């Protein structure tokens, strides 16, 4: 960029202060202090903005939500990387007002996408430890939802493991209140902190996000693959959804899909983008495109791995016409690459191959694609190694070379049926889990509704008792008759005037009121009647109920005019 004197300067090395150009390298302390000072005014100067990184479903490939990420558009340095200013925000009290701005802005933007008909996606907003410690966090979140009009079910609050365990009792209380109104809670960067099963059980969580550090080497490192698979299985057993962060390659995606991860986010699908770009992605129904996704075709896919190309061609000839999609590789490494690009149901491998032997290859396949059915087809093998692999589940069945075509095809067909049965069992289990989750939600909603109704009934009864007591003290007789002709309310003076041995309340009006009065009530004449009762004259007024309430019936008011002359 050009300085004020036309000198070319790097944007990350200069800072303009009035008419002085400060070199960061020559005075880093001054530059840092100035940077912190400018950060304090960035919110007032409207220099912050939000980018949104989409989350894509591992089943449909569609965008199911976004994560809101703050950016700082510095007037002199341009777009400042989050790593440069977020730690400064967290070290100061600035994180609280800035965090509230992020929350409100994200809720308003998500509501705007909904109103524009771009899909009912949710938004995830990160909370800092300072925000979680705030006494009014619930009020702040509720206000952001109310002001934006966003339904609470579309807001997800993300917290890191370390924040959760700093003050667990307070965090549980606050998050439980938020969850009660429908807000979701996720734990971010799982696996980098305490990773305690105890807090996963205690905290009211909905989503677990696997940290990118595990995803980065998930294909090359069997330990990372095993950890990720265990985390997904554990989360699902606790009824938590799993989102994998930092997915950058199709091979990573393939492994996650094979291990039933629910959603991914990362550069493979999309970098964080501005609100307008995200709106365009939603408008175009941009999806995660991969051969690994279940496209509904349910095409049976078989992978053949053998270093002898003649064997591969012969197997392809034998299997042609069976309706399979047949993939082939001449090495274990090629086979692993294909497993990262396709949904493979059955894997058949030779044993004696250069580089990686068949048993080790199938063990690796089990680690990264545990749902596949793995078979070995070989004429020469280490019997003990194969036996061990079969016993530990790495190999489903061993077939010998040379083979009989009919027997080979029969075994492959059986392997596909085994895979399909396992898939159907998992699908039914997921449907049952979803149904149970919905049932729990409905029951919770019903209990809440019944509790609210019970509280309302108690309040109404208390108000009615108070009203009855007040009405009893009014200095003139009155009688309220409901639409069925029963006395619903009556003052003490009315009780003394009309009641005999039984109280008026709950008695049919025709049984306790004079016939002349009843005839007038049932007529359509004047609303005022002069009537003599017990030797005294009364002016009786009637009024139909329901004009200002949901009540119905007739209210009689009696005004004494004196004794009979």
């Amino acid at each position: 960029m050009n300085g004020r004197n036309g000198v070319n300067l790097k944007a990350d090395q200069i800072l303009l202060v009035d008419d002085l150009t400060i070199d960061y390298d020559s005075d880093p302390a001054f530059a840092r202090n100035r940077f912190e000072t400018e950060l304090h005014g960035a919110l007032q100067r409207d220099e912050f903005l939000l980018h949104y990184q989409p989350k894509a479903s591992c089943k449909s490939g569609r965008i199911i939500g976004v994560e809101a990420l703050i950016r700082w558009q510095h007037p002199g340095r341009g777009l400042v990387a989050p790593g440069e200013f977020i730690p400064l925000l967290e070290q100061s009290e600035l994180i609280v007002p800035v965090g509230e701005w992020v929350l409100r802005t994200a809720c308003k933007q998500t509501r705007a996408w909904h109103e524009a008909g771009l899909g009912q996606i949710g938004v995830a907003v990160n909370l800092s430890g300072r925000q979680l410690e705030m006494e009014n966090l619930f009020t702040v979140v509720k206000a952001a939802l109310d002001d934006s009009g966003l339904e609470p079910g579309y807001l997800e609050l993300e917290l890191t493991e370390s924040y959760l365990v700093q003050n667990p009792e307070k965090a549980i209380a606050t998050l439980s209140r938020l969850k009660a109104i429908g807000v979701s809670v996720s734990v971010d960067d799982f696996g980098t902190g305490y990773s305690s099963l105890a807090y996963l059980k205690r905290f009211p969580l909905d989503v677990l996000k696997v940290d990118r550090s595990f995803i980065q080497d998930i294909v090359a490192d069997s330990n990372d693959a095993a950890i990720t698979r265990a985390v997904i299985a554990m989360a699902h057993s606790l009824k938590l959804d799993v989102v994998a962060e930092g997915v950058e390659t199709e091979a990573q995606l393939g492994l996650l899909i094979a291990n039933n991860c629910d959603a991914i986010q990362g550069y493979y699908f999309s970098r964080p983008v501005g609100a307008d770009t995200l709106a365009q992605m939603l408008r175009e129904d941009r999806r995660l495109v991969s051969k690994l996704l279940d496209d509904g075709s349910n095409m049976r896919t078989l992978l053949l791995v053998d270093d002898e190309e003649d064997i591969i061609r012969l197997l392809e000839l034998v299997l042609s016409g069976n309706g399979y999609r047949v993939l082939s590789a001449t090495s274990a490494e090629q086979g692993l690459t294909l497993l990262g690009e396709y949904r493979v149901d059955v894997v058949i491998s030779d044993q004696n191959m250069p580089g990686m032997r068949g048993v080790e290859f199938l063990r690796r396949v089990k680690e990264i694609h545990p749902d596949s059915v793995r078979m070995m087809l070989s004429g020469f093998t280490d019997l003990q190694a194969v036996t061990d692999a079969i016993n530990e589940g790495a190999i489903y069945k061993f077939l010998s070379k040379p083979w009989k075509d009919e027997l080979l095809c029969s075994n492959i067909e059986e392997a596909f049926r085994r895979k399909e049965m396992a898939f159907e069992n998992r699908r039914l289990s997921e449907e049952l889990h979803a149904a149970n989750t919905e049932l729990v939600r409905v029951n919770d909603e019903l209990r809440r509704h019944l509790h609210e109704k019970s509280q309302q009934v108690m309040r109404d009864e208390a108000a009615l008792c108070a009203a009855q007591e007040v009405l009893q003290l009014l200095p003139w007789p009155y009688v309220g008759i409901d639409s069925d002709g029963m006395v619903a309310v009556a003052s003490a003076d009315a009780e003394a005037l009309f009641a005999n041995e039984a109280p008026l309340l709950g008695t049919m009006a025709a049984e306790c009121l004079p016939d002349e009065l009843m005839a007038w009530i049932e007529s359509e004449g004047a609303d005022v009647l002069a009537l003599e009762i017990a030797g005294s004259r009364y002016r009786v007024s009637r009024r139909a109920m329901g004009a200002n309430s949901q009540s119905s019936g007739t209210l009689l008011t009696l005004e004494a005019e004196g004794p009979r002359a």
Side-chain angles (χ1 to χ4, degrees):
M1 62 180 287
N2 291 327
R4 295 196 176 188
N5 296 319
V7 181
N8 291 327
L9 300 168
K10 293 184 180 179
D12 59 350
Q13 289 185 328
I14 61 96
L15 180 65
L16 298 178
V17 185
D18 297 328
D19 291 328
L20 290 177
T21 300
I22 303 299
D23 189 319
Y24 278 24
D25 295 331
S26 62
D27 196 346
F30 179 86
R32 177 179 174 83
N33 291 336
R34 179 66 179 184
F35 187 68
E36 292 180 4
T37 301
E38 291 181 329
L39 184 60
H40 276 72
L43 184 61
Q44 288 73 26
R45 294 191 299 269
D46 198 25
E47 293 173 0
F48 290 122
L49 68 154
L50 291 185
H51 283 184
Y52 300 88
Q53 186 168 38
K55 300 177 187 177
S57 168
C58 287
K59 290 183 172 60
S60 67
R62 303 187 70 174
I63 297 174
I64 58 174
V66 296
E67 180 179 358
L69 301 168
I70 190 171
R71 299 290 186 262
W72 181 16
Q73 188 66 50
H74 189 282
R77 302 181 62 191
L79 202 62
V80 181
E84 293 187 54
F85 68 91
I86 289 181
L88 295 177
L89 289 176
E90 292 178 338
Q91 293 168 15
S92 68
E93 295 298 329
L94 280 176
I95 193 63
V96 174
V98 172
E100 183 174 346
W101 175 86
V102 171
L103 180 66
R104 289 180 172 273
T105 304
C107 288
K108 289 178 181 177
Q109 181 58 70
T110 307
R111 175 61 178 171
W113 287 327
H114 290 183
E115 291 178 340
L118 299 179
Q120 301 298 299
I121 66 168
V123 63
V125 176
N126 292 277
L127 288 186
S128 69
R130 287 180 181 267
Q131 288 175 283
L132 190 58
E133 294 171 0
M134 295 190 311
E135 296 293 338
N136 65 335
L137 177 60
F138 177 85
T139 303
V140 169
V141 174
K142 187 68 165 56
L145 291 168
D146 292 342
D147 292 346
S148 65
L150 182 67
E151 292 294 327
Y154 294 109
L155 174 62
E156 176 185 317
L157 300 178
E158 288 192 9
L159 305 104
T160 61
E161 297 177 69
S162 57
Y163 291 154
L164 286 174
V165 297
Q166 287 176 1
N167 192 344
E169 300 306 324
K170 183 175 182 179
I172 290 171
T174 302
L175 297 177
S176 295
R177 288 187 68 194
L178 291 166
K179 191 173 174 65
I181 64 172
V183 175
S184 298
V185 181
S186 66
V187 56
D188 197 10
D189 300 334
F190 183 79
T192 60
Y194 296 88
S195 302
S196 169
L197 294 179
Y199 83 73
L200 285 181
K201 177 181 176 181
R202 292 180 61 201
F203 286 94
L205 302 176
D206 300 280
V207 180
L208 187 151
K209 301 187 73 175
V210 183
D211 185 67
R212 66 182 64 247
S213 61
F214 294 107
I215 305 302
Q216 183 177 0
D217 296 322
I218 194 173
V219 177
D221 191 327
S222 60
N223 289 328
D224 281 352
I227 290 172
T228 302
R229 183 171 65 252
V231 168
I232 293 172
M234 175 193 63
H236 285 167
S237 69
L238 294 173
K239 299 179 174 58
L240 303 177
D241 290 334
V242 180
V243 177
E245 298 181 291
V247 177
E248 298 182 355
T249 68
E250 189 167 25
Q252 293 170 346
L253 173 66
L255 191 145
L256 292 165
I257 291 175
N259 287 279
N260 306 315
C261 186
D262 297 294
I264 63 102
Q265 66 181 94
Y267 288 2
Y268 178 76
F269 180 62
S270 174
R271 293 173 175 268
V273 296
D276 292 342
T277 302
L278 198 284
Q280 185 62 27
M281 294 175 69
L282 294 172
R283 198 172 290 113
E284 296 172 354
D285 194 18
R286 190 85 56 84
R287 301 193 184 198
L288 187 65
V289 178
S290 173
K291 296 183 287 291
L292 297 160
L293 293 173
D294 185 1
D295 58 3
S297 63
N298 296 321
M299 187 174 186
R300 290 175 162 184
T301 302
L302 171 67
L303 172 62
L304 303 173
V305 182
D306 198 305
D307 61 320
E308 296 184 54
E309 294 186 8
D310 291 342
I311 296 292
I312 290 288
R313 284 194 292 269
L314 184 56
L315 286 170
E316 290 174 340
L317 180 62
V318 170
L319 297 172
S320 63
N322 287 326
Y324 306 145
R325 174 168 56 188
V326 179
L327 308 175
S328 58
T330 56
S331 69
E333 290 73 15
Q334 289 181 13
L336 292 173
T337 299
L338 288 172
L339 285 166
E341 298 175 354
Y342 293 88
R343 294 175 65 94
V344 176
D345 302 301
V346 177
V347 181
I348 299 179
S349 174
D350 186 22
Q351 164 66 350
N352 290 325
M353 297 186 296
M356 185 185 299
R357 295 170 70 83
V359 167
E360 292 306 314
F361 167 68
L362 292 176
R363 281 200 181 101
R364 182 68 185 280
V365 173
K366 180 193 174 185
E367 291 175 352
I368 60 179
H369 295 279
D371 290 340
S372 62
V373 180
R374 299 162 297 278
M375 304 169 67
M376 178 166 286
L377 179 64
S378 181
F380 305 95
T381 187
D382 179 348
L383 182 59
Q384 185 60 50
V386 173
T387 301
D388 292 342
I390 291 175
N391 290 338
E392 67 190 32
I395 299 176
Y396 163 61
K397 189 167 290 188
F398 176 81
L399 303 175
S400 298
K401 292 180 181 178
W403 63 85
K404 292 183 179 180
D405 292 352
E406 183 177 348
L407 182 60
L408 175 65
C409 292
S410 175
N411 278 283
I412 292 175
E413 179 66 23
E414 180 185 340
F416 275 113
R417 287 199 299 269
R418 180 184 178 91
K419 169 63 185 298
E420 289 159 0
M421 184 178 295
F423 176 82
E424 181 65 13
N425 288 338
R426 189 177 76 226
R427 185 188 66 80
L428 292 174
S429 176
E430 290 174 352
E431 288 184 358
L432 181 61
H433 165 65
N436 287 336
T437 301
E438 179 64 14
L439 183 60
V440 169
R441 187 195 67 78
V442 171
N443 285 336
D444 289 343
E445 182 67 18
L446 181 59
R447 280 194 293 267
R448 184 186 65 79
H449 184 68
L450 290 175
H451 177 71
E452 291 177 353
K453 285 295 184 184
S454 176
Q455 295 295 315
Q456 184 62 46
V457 168
M458 293 175 63
R459 288 192 294 268
D460 291 346
E461 288 179 349
L464 180 60
C465 290
Q468 287 277 16
E469 185 173 352
V470 170
L471 292 174
Q472 287 286 335
L473 300 176
L474 293 178
W476 60 80
Y478 73 88
V479 177
I481 304 171
D482 66 16
S483 56
D484 294 325
M486 185 180 70
V487 176
V489 292
S491 66
D493 287 350
E495 290 276 357
L497 186 61
F498 294 117
N500 294 319
E501 297 180 355
L504 287 181
L505 289 178
T507 303
M508 299 304 294
E511 297 176 5
C512 57
L513 300 184
D515 293 341
E516 184 180 355
L517 182 56
M518 286 302 303
W520 172 70
I521 293 172
E522 296 171 356
S523 70
E524 297 182 357
D527 289 335
V528 178
L529 172 69
L531 183 65
E532 183 177 312
I533 305 174
S536 297
R537 295 186 62 80
Y538 290 88
R539 183 174 182 271
V540 185
S541 302
R542 66 179 176 183
R543 177 179 297 174
M545 301 300 295
N548 300 312
S549 68
Q550 296 180 351
S551 61
S552 61
T554 303
L555 179 65
L556 304 179
T557 305
L558 291 83
E559 181 180 355
E561 295 183 341
R564 182 175 58 184

